[in-house]
Structure formats: structure tokens, C-alpha cells
Amino acid sequence: MDLTFTTEEEEFRRRLRTWLRETLPKLPAKPPPDQWPARRAYDCAWQRALYDAGYAGLHWPTDAGGQGATPTQHLIFLEETELAGAPYVGANFVGLLHAGPTIAVEGTPEQQARWLPPILRGEEVWCQGFSEPDAGSDLASLRTRAVRDGDAYIVTGSKIWTSHAEVADWCELLVRTDASAPRHRGISWLAMPMDTPGVTVRPLRTLAGSTEFAELFLDEVRIPLSHRVGAENDGWRVTMVTLSYERGTAFVGEVVACRRTLARLARTAKENGRWDDAVLRRRLGRLNAEFGALWRLTQWNVSAAERTSPGGGSAVPGVGGSVFKLRYSEARQELYDAAAEVIGPEALDAGHPWTADRLSALSYTIAAGTSQIQQNIIAERILGLPKGR
């Protein structure tokens, strides 16, 4: 693992810091969290600003419209934008972090030309239609079916936890195209226009009060065959590409944010007298070591990706992303448990600024693959252990 930065990488960091310093003060106020059309407009305007400045799709290959940056440059970008308090990708995250990179790797030239430029410019928003009511962590048991009818698939079924479906233009959709095939086969990856007849969106309200997820009901929805990414019945392999991106770099900025949160917690503990508790100090110290180690693990993963893409540009993240995601999601929960201990009874107040983050932290051991799924991946693909029965 090489933790040093080249002269070119340090120059990239300097230019990015300068641009962020000049750009962020000019941004409008962020809309309230429950006003999704306004949030979509805000997020897409930020994406357009990144595009105009040459930072959109930074790590995407140049032939897919990206900047062909190295994994290390992408890491610098994520670190610096988080430290500067820049907007998160928000409603654009499925397109930028999941669907877009997958299409860049697996899509045809025609599909890349149609879908990638609008994602990069912030003109079209994507949502993710993977999980189902009876197929969450066990994604291979999905039942939404797609039957060929001429030059289209007729799709019927339902999805749940469909991120940003309320404001999305497209959905990366997993369907079963061969009901007689083994579970991990017979699945296909489709791009579905959200305004297609037969698509119904029903928002879901989370424990934290947000509505970024929705149920999706599909009643004989007609999707052209040309919207299939990858071969028919090869969707599981394509999906593993998508999930590798989701687990590879999706949480990098949040590690930076957690380290800043931990520093704020330490200051709060010193101000309210909780710092005198030696047990609490040790707990915060251990968390500091945890997030420091996670940052080093991130750099290790980036170094590994650098070796697989020596010419620059995007590389499909490896299974090291599962190691990172497993430990990060659990450390994040421990961080906000410690926050409740520092803050005291006020942490139970729904209006307290820490409460929403603490509730959100509970979902991280489920989102992007549960901790149990990550443990299986690590056991089978890294440690070489036999599959469980």
C-alpha cells in the first residue's frame, strides 16, 4: 500500500480546494428534507456545476464521458468535498454510483451514449429496483417476472426500498426472465422509464421520518429489449458489478464525516463534564482508532484498484469493499451509541440534531447488503471457506 501522493495528485487537490472555496459560498440554501422536487432540483444543479467544472464522473472512463481519473484522485475528491461541506450527490447517487458505472462497464455503445451523458449533467435521476418484500438480503429469490413479447418484456411484480423513486426518471430493475433456471440464473438487468404505464410509486416513511424510499408496483409494464444491460439471464453477474460499486467507494465521504463527528463529540464531552468519565474516554479513543483504521483500509482498497487500472479511469471495486462496509456500518452504530452517552437524556428528544443521524445509523448494517451477507462474501471469496448449506 502506497500512502504517498504524487505531485500531480497534490496539484489536483489544490485545484479542487480552490474551486470549492470559490463555488460553495454561491450555492442557494438547501431545501427542507421533505420537499423532494426541490431537493432534486438542488442536487441536479450541484451535479451540473460539477459537470461544468470537469469534476462529474471523475472516476468514470473517458470513453464513457468521465474524466478518467485514477482511484486515488477519486479518493481525494471524496475527501475534499466532504471536508469542505459540499453537497452530497443526493438524488443522483443511484445514477452516479450504481447505474452509471455499471452501464459504463456492461452497456452497449448505444446505451452508454443514451444514458450516461444525462446522468453526468444532472438531467436525469435514477432509482434502484432490486429488493422485494420477500427478497431483501436474499436478492436471488426475487420474483418480479419479465416475459418476452415481441421486441419488449412485459414486467409484473413489486419492489421495495426503491431509493428516490418519487423523483426518478429511470430505474435499474432486476427481473426474472427464466423461472425454471437456478436462483442466481434467469435474472436480467433492465433500465425502466419511470413514466411507463403500469408503474405505481408509493412512498415509505422511515423511522427517522424521511421518505427517500418507496414501494414500486409494476402491472404489465412494457420495457423494450434494447433496455436490457448485459445478456438475458446474465443479470446476476451484472448486478454484482453494480453492488461492487455500491460497497466500494459509496461510504468514503461518510468515514471523513464520522471522524469529524467524533471530534465534535469529544469537544461536547469536555464542555458538559462527561470527559471526566475514563470509560467514556476509552470508548471515544477506541472509535478514533476504528475510523483511523477504516480510512487506512480505504486507502488500501484504492491502492488495489490502482493496480488493476494502471492506465487510469474506473476499475470495478474488489471484495475488499465488503470488508470495509461490514466494519464501517457497525462502527457507525457504535459512534452514535457513544453520542447518546455523551449527550445524555436529551438524545431521546426527536428534535435533537443528533437524533436523526443516530436513527439513520441503525440502517447501515442492512443497506447495501446486510452484515450477514458481507460476512458470507468475506468468508467465501476472501478466506476461501466453503459455502454454507
Side-chain angles (χ1 to χ4, degrees):
M1 177 171 64
D2 185 1
L3 302 182
T4 62
F5 296 102
T6 66
T7 302
E8 292 78 9
E9 289 163 349
E10 291 292 3
E11 174 60 20
F12 171 79
R13 187 191 298 273
R14 186 195 63 78
R15 291 197 310 270
L16 176 59
R17 282 180 175 176
T18 299
W19 182 78
L20 289 169
R21 188 166 54 248
E22 294 173 350
T23 303
L24 294 182
K26 302 174 185 177
L27 295 182
K30 188 174 182 178
D34 59 344
Q35 295 184 13
W36 278 106
R39 286 186 62 179
R40 172 191 161 124
Y42 179 88
D43 294 340
C44 289
W46 171 244
Q47 181 59 29
R48 181 67 201 210
L50 292 172
Y51 178 84
D52 291 340
Y55 293 116
L58 191 69
H59 61 304
W60 288 19
T62 53
D63 57 5
Q67 304 301 316
T70 66
T72 298
Q73 287 175 319
H74 187 218
L75 179 66
I76 292 171
F77 173 81
L78 294 172
E79 180 183 19
E80 291 297 328
T81 51
E82 177 60 38
L83 289 173
Y88 180 57
V89 291
N92 294 305
F93 94 90
V94 174
L96 286 168
L97 304 181
H98 303 172
T102 302
I103 294 167
V105 172
E106 300 289 339
T108 65
E110 294 76 18
Q111 290 171 337
Q112 293 171 359
R114 167 59 188 89
W115 289 318
L116 298 184
I119 291 174
L120 291 175
R121 294 193 296 260
E123 295 170 354
E124 291 181 345
V125 171
W126 286 63
C127 63
Q128 186 181 75
F130 282 14
S131 296
E132 296 183 4
D134 296 317
S137 295
D138 187 15
L139 186 58
S141 65
L142 65 89
R143 298 179 181 176
T144 295
R145 68 182 186 275
V147 179
R148 276 209 189 203
D149 180 34
D151 62 351
Y153 291 107
I154 306 302
V155 179
T156 302
S158 65
K159 298 290 179 177
I160 199 168
W161 311 122
T162 307
S163 306
H164 301 310
E166 293 177 80
V167 293
D169 303 295
W170 292 87
C171 177
E172 53 172 358
L173 185 70
L174 286 188
V175 297
R176 188 163 295 284
T177 41
D178 186 351
S180 63
R183 294 190 330 145
H184 292 82
R185 296 179 174 84
I187 294 174
S188 297
W189 197 108
L190 305 180
M192 180 181 71
M194 289 296 287
D195 59 357
T196 306
V199 177
T200 301
V201 177
R202 182 183 300 166
L204 294 168
R205 188 167 297 278
T206 69
L207 181 66
S210 60
T211 56
E212 67 264 32
F213 301 114
E215 292 178 284
L216 201 60
F217 299 94
L218 310 172
D219 184 12
E220 296 189 348
V221 177
R222 191 176 185 87
I223 303 176
L225 295 180
S226 60
H227 288 189
R228 186 189 68 233
V229 175
E232 184 172 278
N233 300 328
D234 192 33
W236 185 258
R237 183 190 61 79
V238 177
T239 300
M240 291 304 100
V241 173
T242 304
L243 296 180
S244 293
Y245 282 108
E246 182 176 32
R247 297 162 188 164
T249 56
F251 300 107
V252 168
E254 296 193 35
V255 173
V256 178
C258 283
R259 297 181 80 179
R260 296 171 67 192
T261 296
L262 188 59
R264 288 169 52 204
L265 268 184
R267 291 195 297 270
T268 300
K270 292 174 183 178
E271 293 167 358
N272 66 12
R274 295 290 292 151
W275 191 253
D276 295 335
D277 186 335
V279 174
L280 176 62
R281 290 201 308 273
R282 283 195 296 272
R283 186 176 189 182
L284 296 180
R286 184 181 59 79
L287 282 168
N288 184 58
E290 285 269 10
F291 286 109
L294 281 167
W295 186 247
R296 290 295 185 238
L297 177 59
T298 297
Q299 293 175 307
W300 185 90
N301 287 336
V302 166
S303 293
E306 200 89 61
R307 290 193 296 274
T308 63
S309 59
S314 179
V316 177
V319 292
S322 289
V323 177
F324 172 85
K325 195 273 174 180
L326 173 63
R327 189 57 209 135
Y328 167 73
S329 59
E330 295 176 349
R332 183 182 174 93
Q333 288 191 8
E334 293 170 11
L335 171 65
Y336 283 98
D337 285 345
E341 187 175 346
V342 170
I343 296 166
E346 292 182 16
L348 299 175
D349 183 354
H352 196 282
W354 291 93
T355 304
D357 286 336
R358 189 185 185 204
L359 293 176
S360 174
L362 298 176
S363 69
Y364 277 69
T365 51
I366 301 173
T370 67
S371 291
Q372 290 77 14
I373 291 295
Q374 306 306 331
Q375 288 167 352
N376 286 342
I377 292 172
I378 294 166
E380 295 169 11
R381 302 186 191 177
I382 296 180
L383 301 179
L385 298 178
K387 292 186 178 181
R389 295 185 181 275

